[in-house]
Amino acid sequence: MLTNEIMKEIYQFREAHAKAFNYDVAAMFADWRNRQANSGKCSVTLPPQMSDKSLERTGQK
């Protein structure tokens, strides 16, 4: 099945990328940010949104 082949390739890429950064999530994220910045494509950064549940906890709802 084609989907399984695609998923296998994605998992292999993810594993190789994680291994290259010694499974350091911060370093992996920094690499993705650099790739994004150097891609030449536009990107949008949205501010975090609060969920209704977080508003309930703070009593601001």
Side-chain angles (χ1 to χ4, degrees):
M1 185 175 190
L2 183 60
T3 305
N4 289 339
E5 292 173 16
I6 292 170
M7 293 305 296
K8 183 178 177 182
E9 186 176 340
I10 290 170
Y11 293 144
Q12 288 173 343
F13 177 82
R14 249 180 30 185
E15 177 63 24
H17 184 259
K19 192 174 184 178
F21 291 93
N22 200 29
Y23 302 93
D24 180 353
V25 176
M28 292 164 47
F29 188 75
D31 179 58
W32 285 117
R33 284 282 191 180
N34 286 334
R35 289 175 186 235
Q36 182 181 27
N38 295 324
S39 71
K41 298 178 181 178
C42 293
S43 63
V44 176
T45 303
L46 300 174
Q49 295 181 352
M50 295 181 70
S51 70
D52 288 340
K53 289 187 178 189
S54 61
L55 290 174
E56 290 171 6
R57 286 193 297 260
T58 61
Q60 295 178 7
K61 191 169 183 178

